[in-house]
Amino acid sequence: ASSTIGLQVPLIALLAGAAAILIGRSKPSAVFRGVDWVLLVFFAGLFVVIGGARQSGLLDALLAQERALVTPDVQGIVSLSVFSALVSQLVSNVPLTMLVIPLIKDIPGDTLWVTLAASSTLGGNATLLGAVSNIIVAEVAARDGVEVRFGDFLRLGLPVTAATLALAIGVLALEYQAGWLR
């Protein structure tokens, strides 16, 4: 929608949020009371850590190795998907996306953007640490007396992630081969 209507994504998000507040029947103060501020601070902390790791050069070797494999073709689809699934287990899928964007931003076409969207989302399902949403669910479950253990999550998450990621790679590769993805 951003490229179609000529507005940047942050502006669209801001306008949509403002519209929701104006149209909705909830008072903004009630909405702000419902915000999980701990989660927002957690996210901010993740972004600060990732930014610091990038600025310090800590991640340069890892990214330099992946840069050679990130090409807008089937090899790039596979490489970026595997990289995203593995690294999201270390830093979570949202910070991973922030790391990868500089690698693909100057590569023409949508192939790697669509691959990143799919693989970072699906790759985050392997472990509790793979996505912040997994941590949120485990935290809410714990408040309700349900313990979600890392090993239990991994036992189910790993095969589901492997299957869905393989399926996504296959679909993206077919779309690329058919010329629907460039």
Side-chain angles (χ1 to χ4, degrees):
S2 175
S3 59
T4 303
I5 61 176
L7 296 176
Q8 292 183 351
V9 173
L11 181 58
I12 293 171
L14 184 63
L15 292 172
I21 288 173
L22 292 172
I23 294 170
R25 299 196 190 275
S26 299
K27 291 183 179 181
S29 59
V31 172
F32 287 124
R33 275 194 302 277
V35 171
D36 188 341
W37 296 103
V38 172
L39 176 63
L40 288 178
V41 170
F42 177 71
F43 257 116
L46 276 174
F47 296 144
V48 168
V49 169
I50 293 300
R54 288 200 82 195
Q55 291 294 338
S56 72
L58 182 65
L59 301 172
D60 289 347
L62 179 66
L63 293 176
Q65 183 177 8
E66 182 62 15
R67 183 171 279 125
L69 301 173
V70 177
T71 53
D73 54 19
V74 174
Q75 178 186 346
I77 291 169
V78 173
S79 171
L80 183 56
S81 294
V82 171
F83 178 82
S84 295
L86 293 174
V87 176
S88 67
Q89 307 318 306
L90 301 173
V91 298
S92 188
N93 59 353
V94 173
L96 160 86
T97 302
M98 291 177 51
L99 284 173
V100 173
I101 286 173
L103 290 176
I104 66 172
K105 71 178 182 180
D106 296 327
I107 298 174
D110 295 333
T111 301
L112 296 177
W113 289 102
V114 173
T115 300
L116 178 61
S119 63
S120 65
T121 301
L122 297 172
N125 294 327
T127 68
L128 270 173
L129 302 176
V132 174
S133 59
N134 300 346
I135 296 168
I136 294 167
V137 168
E139 196 175 284
V140 171
R143 281 189 229 147
D144 290 341
V146 177
E147 183 180 359
V148 179
R149 294 188 178 116
F150 186 88
D152 293 337
F153 194 100
L154 178 67
R155 190 178 77 246
L156 297 171
L158 195 57
V160 168
T161 298
T164 57
L165 196 59
L167 182 62
I169 290 169
V171 168
L172 291 172
L174 287 172
E175 287 181 349
Y176 180 82
Q177 294 295 340
W180 298 337
L181 191 61
R182 291 289 174 214

